[in-house]
Amino acid sequence: VYTGCMIHWPWHISKEQLAAAAKAFRDDETKNNNLPPSSCFTPYKLQPPTFLHYCRRYGFPATSKEDTGKFKFMAKRRVPHDVLECENVNEPLTLFTTIDSMEQNDWMTLTACAMMRAVNYAK
């Protein structure tokens, strides 16, 4: 079981497969919001960790022109407390945007993907 903060490189998987999965999500993070969190990993033959423990902000550089120089990220403390209320069920949770620089790598990108999709899939 993989536990703890998801900031360390998962050495047991292919860096090339991880990079491909992260790039696919970065290139179009607004699509497929209603898929399960495993969809961030399995199309690339990556096995997601059994347990995800979100302990920090997980981000990556934004790729859209309007967000040039910014970062997209997901953080558990930024998620609205009423995100799963009935009146919000049709509004997908999206990534947050910041101008603050942050640590980034492909694993953090997939963690942001899994966090966002887990909440939206639960809706």
Side-chain angles (χ1 to χ4, degrees), residues 2 5-19 41 46-49 52 105-111:
Y2 186 88
C5 294
M6 293 182 61
I7 58 173
H8 301 291
W9 184 262
W11 296 108
H12 64 284
I13 62 175
S14 160
K15 290 181 183 180
E16 292 79 21
Q17 289 170 305
L18 183 63
F41 304 91
L46 300 174
Q47 183 170 351
L52 301 177
N105 60 43
D106 292 332
W107 188 245
M108 289 187 143
T109 301
L110 291 187
T111 304

Side-chain angles (χ1 to χ4, degrees), residues 16-102:
E16 292 79 21
Q17 289 170 305
L18 183 63
K23 181 181 181 331
F25 179 68
R26 278 192 305 268
D27 288 347
D28 206 355
E29 87 268 352
T30 59
K31 288 195 175 180
N32 301 317
N33 278 337
N34 60 343
L35 293 175
S38 61
S39 66
C40 302
F41 304 91
T42 53
Y44 304 92
K45 298 183 174 44
L46 300 174
Q47 183 170 351
T50 306
F51 177 76
L52 301 177
H53 172 202
Y54 305 113
C55 60
R56 60 182 290 177
R57 292 174 14 155
Y58 298 93
F60 55 92
T63 57
S64 64
K65 287 183 180 180
E66 63 269 10
D67 288 328
T68 299
K70 297 179 181 177
F71 289 81
K72 296 284 191 166
F73 72 96
M74 183 57 66
K76 66 181 178 184
R77 290 187 177 97
R78 293 281 305 266
V79 175
H81 293 278
D82 63 350
V83 70
L84 297 177
E85 296 294 330
C86 292
E87 62 268 11
N88 298 324
V89 75
N90 293 322
E91 297 176 29
L93 178 66
T94 58
L95 297 173
F96 305 105
T97 304
T98 184
I99 58 171
D100 298 335
S101 181
M102 61 180 58

